[in-house]
Amino acid sequence: MSLLDKFASVKPQLKALAATGRNPFAVTFDEILSATEGVLDGRPTILLGTNNYLGLTFDAECIEASRQAALHHGTGTTGSRVANGNYADHRSLEADLAAFFGRRHAMVFSTGYQANLGMLSTLVGRGDHLILDADSHASIYDGARLGQAEVIRFRHNSPEDLRKRLRRLEGRRGGKLVVVEGIYSMRGDVAPLQEIAAVARQYGADLMIDEAHSMGVLGERGRGLAEAVGVEDQVDFVVGTFSKSLGSVGGFCVSNVDDFDLLRLVCRPYMFTASLPPAVIASTRCALSRLAVDTGLRARVGANAKRLYDGLSRLGFDVGPNVSPVVAVALESREVAVSFWNALLDSGIYVNLALPPATPSNHPLLRASVSAAHSAEQIDRAIEAFARIGGELGLVWPQMRAVAAG
Ligand code: PMP
């Protein structure tokens, strides 16, 4: 009898996956050559599943900033900001973020996961109500579990269902917080934020948006969906991550609420963990300043996203309702998805394989994420690989391949 016996059912599933090719949960790159290329099993591979939306991981200025920070301030902070002290650069990064989002306050966490864990478990507590989109990221669900609020889910992207849930709460005591994402991480679809904000406001609920996948991608200044659709003044809290458009690691929350800084003394995922190391802070600040001034990055990731989305939908693939840098092909069968994913890797294309139950609507997904750094030729090679393999697996008709090529 082992404590791990309860996970015994995972073993045959992994074995079955391994029998059809690689283990999708243990992909190991021999080398990363650039923001868009790596080496996998000795083969040059196009990275099309890394959330590196602006391609800044190899930005020379950011690497140099990071190097200088390590040289001058050491490799790590070796403690929490509350117990062991802040570095001036933590404060500077928070000031940069507040300025970027046009908000009074910012708080930096060691990951985006912890930002959600921290904010959701402290903003609402016993007697309060946390109203989540059903397709929320795991970090949002885990934040809900860590806190004491009543958790209510509404149908994905449905302002009507949200209204129904909030109406039922009318007259009940306690605060209400509605949480949505800008671009949803698995399907790449976008929240109907104007409608959701209007409903939240009508029923007196606060609104939080996780802009993890939309920061740097949407909005005139790259602030995300709330900026793009003009409702920033109706959003009370914005959370996000440094691990996507900013090419490093870490998370944040920005807000205009009074007394925001009190959270630093009650928010356990902020207090009881080591703060970000100097090198990470430096590259993040550098990437944020690039994001703010280089609108070309946003234009390029947008154009690449459209190229891939259009190419795959012309082939007849179900790529979801919105063009965004997350382009996910929904397939019917798990077996076909696994074979397809392995064949793409054999052709030098790396995308993510997402399998139910970890996917919305229980469809297996081949999830690509597009970068500003991809060349049109790399995107076209990916489309061609999807066309060829889709044809071999009986998913793409020859006529469609011709249309896509034309
Ligand atoms: N929120 C969303 C919507 C995400 O997709 C992710 C990561 N995939 C996170 C939060 C967590 O971010 P991090 O990787 O910084 O922990």
Side-chain angles (χ1 to χ4, degrees):
M1 173 74 187
S2 150
L3 288 174
L4 297 190
D5 283 352
K6 54 184 166 295
F7 306 118
S9 66
V10 176
K11 243 160 92 178
Q13 288 176 32
L14 268 184
K15 223 168 144 188
L17 271 177
T20 53
R22 304 166 183 84
N23 175 355
F25 310 117
V27 170
T28 307
F29 298 103
D30 309 327
E31 228 182 315
I32 300 292
L33 304 172
S34 71
T36 60
E37 293 162 305
V39 180
L40 186 71
D41 299 336
R43 185 185 294 112
T45 300
I46 296 175
L47 303 178
L48 198 61
T50 57
N51 302 321
N52 197 353
Y53 298 126
L54 301 185
L56 290 175
T57 48
F58 278 79
D59 183 87
E61 240 178 83
C62 296
I63 290 174
E64 182 54 22
S66 196
R67 204 175 74 84
Q68 290 299 332
L71 278 174
H72 289 105
H73 306 294
T75 52
T77 63
T78 64
S80 112
R81 290 173 62 180
V82 178
N84 311 92
N86 296 280
Y87 285 26
D89 289 344
H90 290 123
R91 298 272 189 221
S92 306
L93 174 55
E94 285 172 344
D96 291 352
L97 282 164
F100 175 76
F101 281 98
R103 306 253 174 182
R104 283 193 286 138
H105 310 288
M107 191 165 154
V108 162
F109 292 81
S110 299
T111 64
Y113 178 89
Q114 282 164 292
N116 275 329
L117 219 54
M119 295 310 296
L120 296 181
S121 61
T122 44
L123 282 176
V124 281
R126 198 180 300 282
D128 294 330
H129 312 280
L130 183 54
I131 305 108
L132 309 179
D133 184 289
D135 282 1
S136 289
H137 187 258
S139 57
I140 294 173
Y141 276 112
D142 289 359
R145 283 166 70 174
L146 187 63
Q148 308 281 323
E150 181 195 12
V151 179
I152 298 160
R153 296 194 303 177
F154 65 96
R155 204 174 331 119
H156 175 53
N157 273 353
S158 170
E160 266 325 298
D161 198 43
L162 172 64
R163 179 190 302 282
K164 217 159 68 189
R165 313 270 164 185
L166 285 173
R167 203 183 286 136
R168 282 188 205 145
L169 289 176
E170 269 187 311
R172 299 260 303 268
R173 292 164 69 94
K176 291 174 279 222
L177 177 66
V178 173
V179 184
V180 297
E181 294 171 31
I183 292 175
Y184 280 83
S185 57
M186 279 288 156
R187 217 36 186 123
D189 50 339
V190 171
L193 192 61
Q194 285 172 325
E195 293 85 345
I196 282 174
V199 173
R201 176 176 258 201
Q202 184 187 347
Y203 289 90
D206 276 13
L207 178 59
M208 172 185 281
I209 182 165
D210 180 340
E211 301 269 21
H213 295 267
S214 31
M215 179 184 184
V217 169
L218 297 179
E220 201 182 324
R221 283 159 292 197
R223 292 171 173 180
L225 180 64
E227 182 191 20
V229 300
V231 296
E232 284 180 292
D233 58 339
Q234 295 170 51
V235 173
D236 302 280
F237 303 93
V238 179
V239 288
T241 175
F242 306 150
S243 70
K244 305 190 192 308
S245 283
L246 297 175
S248 65
V249 68
F252 67 88
C253 178
V254 296
S255 178
N256 278 334
V257 292
D258 291 338
D259 297 326
F260 184 80
D261 281 335
L262 289 178
L263 291 172
R264 296 183 198 271
L265 298 178
V266 291
C267 182
R268 298 170 70 86
Y270 174 84
M271 298 161 71
F272 296 107
T273 193
S275 59
L276 289 174
V280 168
I281 299 173
S283 79
T284 305
R285 290 188 69 197
C286 175
L288 185 62
S289 67
R290 291 290 311 280
L291 188 164
V293 298
D294 192 345
T295 51
L297 289 172
R298 214 141 42 250
R300 280 201 293 284
V301 70
N304 282 342
K306 184 158 170 28
R307 193 176 188 96
L308 184 63
Y309 182 95
D310 287 350
L312 295 182
S313 61
R314 270 201 298 270
L315 288 169
F317 287 115
D318 170 3
V319 281
N322 301 108
V323 177
S324 87
V326 177
V327 182
V329 170
L331 296 170
E332 287 300 323
S333 132
R334 187 184 172 95
E335 289 69 33
V336 168
V338 172
S339 305
F340 207 136
W341 178 77
N342 274 290
L344 282 169
L345 272 185
D346 291 339
S347 310
I349 311 287
Y350 171 70
V351 299
N352 312 128
L353 174 65
L355 295 173
T359 58
S361 358
N362 266 342
H363 281 289
L365 296 174
L366 296 172
R367 175 191 180 274
S369 51
V370 172
S371 171
H374 283 119
S375 65
E377 194 251 331
Q378 286 175 316
I379 302 279
D380 291 349
R381 270 176 55 199
I383 296 169
E384 179 45 40
F386 268 93
R388 184 174 43 74
I389 298 160
E392 285 161 13
L393 292 170
L395 302 173
V396 172
W397 303 106
Q399 303 91 296
M400 286 174 162
R401 282 188 70 174
V403 171

